[in-house]
Amino acid sequence: PIPIRILIPMHLEGTLGAFLSSAVLAASLLSADEYYASIDKSATDDDLKGQLHDLINPHTVYSYDEVWDCFETVDKNLPQYPCDANASHIPDVYSTYCWSTEKVSGGECGNYKQEGDCFNREHLWPKSWFGGFDQGKNAQTDLFELWPSDGYVNGLRSSLPFGNVDPDTVTYESSNGCRIGTCSSPDYSGKCFEPTDLFKGDFARSYFYLATAYWNEWDCCDTDAVNGSDIKPWMEKELRTWHANDPVDESEIARNEDIYAEWQHNRNPFIDYPEWVDQISDF
């Protein structure tokens, strides 16, 4: 694209200025092909992972409070939208509930005692795994990391790793089918959180994004599921299966485009090029 610079006279600042600034940004955005022009698409393993890290790690960063505003548009791209008669409401990823994005009853948490009380900003990769909120190196407010989730279910999940749950061990099942119980993986016998099938591939690709965007950025932590930005083999195997069984769909593409065009100005390469997951043998 051709760089454009527009000087806005003082008397036109404000609404018109904001509009023109948005127009300039839109004109400067790259197509997906242009965005990845520097990537050697035949590269593999750490070579490809390193190239992608350098491309996607830089992004526009928002405060934790500003994420609420991002949710208002980004998460209207979730597949359950519209989730009720109110077009301003957004769907939930851990329950069947539908949320107002205002701080009112049935909106942002708040206190919760049961499903449906309120929603919050779920860190798919628990923030304790990278040492806490302030140690995230900008992952803590990354829109590929944060998803609207029922506060009660999110609280039950806590920092449990993602995995398939043995159906005979389920201790909780949410209204949309998320389950907590003993992992069925032969390589891990602890408790897992299994999301509903609708989001398994989406969440897997978010994990691959995070493991790439923040590769060697975090100083912490060695857990049952990850070590720093490295996903441990037992969970990576589960995530690869989810990626294969729940391929990229139109709603995921739309969410990726919205995050790029309107907010962070970076992309999830594993949505744009799902085959790159197979070209990287170790996340």
Side-chain angles (χ1 to χ4, degrees):
I2 300 172
I4 300 172
R5 186 183 182 195
I6 296 178
L7 299 178
I8 303 169
M10 290 184 65
H11 69 283
L12 293 180
E13 289 180 355
T15 302
L16 179 57
F19 171 79
L20 290 174
S21 296
S22 298
V24 171
L25 176 60
S28 67
L29 290 173
L30 302 174
S31 69
D33 286 343
E34 291 169 328
Y35 181 79
Y36 295 107
S38 65
I39 303 299
D40 176 2
K41 296 179 176 60
S42 66
T44 60
D45 297 329
D46 285 358
D47 183 8
L48 178 56
K49 192 174 176 182
Q51 292 180 50
L52 292 174
H53 167 272
D54 293 345
L55 178 64
I56 67 177
N57 176 271
H59 64 274
T60 301
V61 177
Y62 293 91
S63 73
Y64 204 38
D65 282 340
E66 288 171 333
V67 167
W68 292 124
D69 297 327
C70 302
F71 275 8
E72 289 184 21
T73 64
V74 168
D75 293 308
K76 287 180 180 176
N77 295 300
L78 293 175
Q80 317 99 301
Y81 181 84
C83 50
D84 65 15
N86 190 327
S88 72
H89 289 178
I90 59 172
D92 187 285
V93 297
Y94 285 174
S95 78
T96 57
Y97 288 91
C98 199
W99 305 112
S100 164
T101 55
E102 301 296 325
K103 288 185 182 295
V104 297
S105 178
E108 303 166 358
C109 287
N111 297 316
Y112 50 81
K113 295 182 180 179
Q114 60 188 2
E115 273 191 49
D117 281 347
C118 58
F119 82 102
N120 57 19
R121 298 153 290 186
E122 161 69 323
H123 292 84
L124 288 187
W125 188 300
K127 56 185 179 292
S128 62
W129 290 1
F130 48 70
F133 187 89
D134 292 335
Q135 304 304 313
K137 307 289 180 68
N138 296 325
Q140 67 271 27
T141 59
D142 193 316
L143 294 172
F144 290 111
E145 154 81 318
L146 293 171
W147 297 67
S149 69
D150 187 285
Y152 182 75
V153 182
N154 187 25
L156 291 176
R157 188 229 166 170
S158 184
S159 58
L160 289 176
F162 283 149
N164 294 314
V165 169
D166 180 341
D168 294 330
T169 69
V170 174
T171 58
Y172 185 83
E173 183 165 346
S174 76
S175 55
N176 77 340
C178 296
R179 300 192 293 181
I180 295 173
T182 302
C183 274
S184 60
S185 170
D187 301 313
Y188 180 68
S189 58
K191 278 193 169 184
C192 276
F193 183 91
E194 180 178 353
T196 184
D197 290 346
L198 182 64
F199 288 111
K200 283 180 176 175
D202 306 57
F203 291 175
R205 287 179 283 276
S206 288
Y207 263 58
F208 300 144
Y209 163 90
L210 292 163
T212 302
Y214 300 97
W215 188 32
N216 295 328
E217 298 286 338
W218 296 326
D219 301 320
C220 188
C221 299
D222 189 357
T223 74
D224 290 335
V226 301
N227 185 4
S229 59
D230 297 332
I231 305 171
K232 292 197 171 175
W234 75 264
M235 188 168 72
E236 182 175 334
K237 183 178 179 181
E238 305 269 71
L239 295 175
R240 286 181 180 275
T241 300
W242 293 359
H243 165 69
N245 291 345
D246 177 26
V248 175
D249 59 24
E250 290 183 4
S251 64
E252 193 177 359
I253 292 170
R255 190 174 189 270
N256 188 33
E257 291 291 347
D258 196 10
I259 291 173
Y260 170 63
E262 302 296 335
W263 301 100
Q264 290 190 172
H265 312 121
N266 72 338
R267 307 179 68 92
N268 183 338
F270 306 108
I271 295 173
D272 293 318
Y273 291 90
E275 64 272 20
W276 283 349
V277 172
D278 291 334
Q279 289 175 226
I280 298 174
S281 60
D282 182 10
F283 285 99

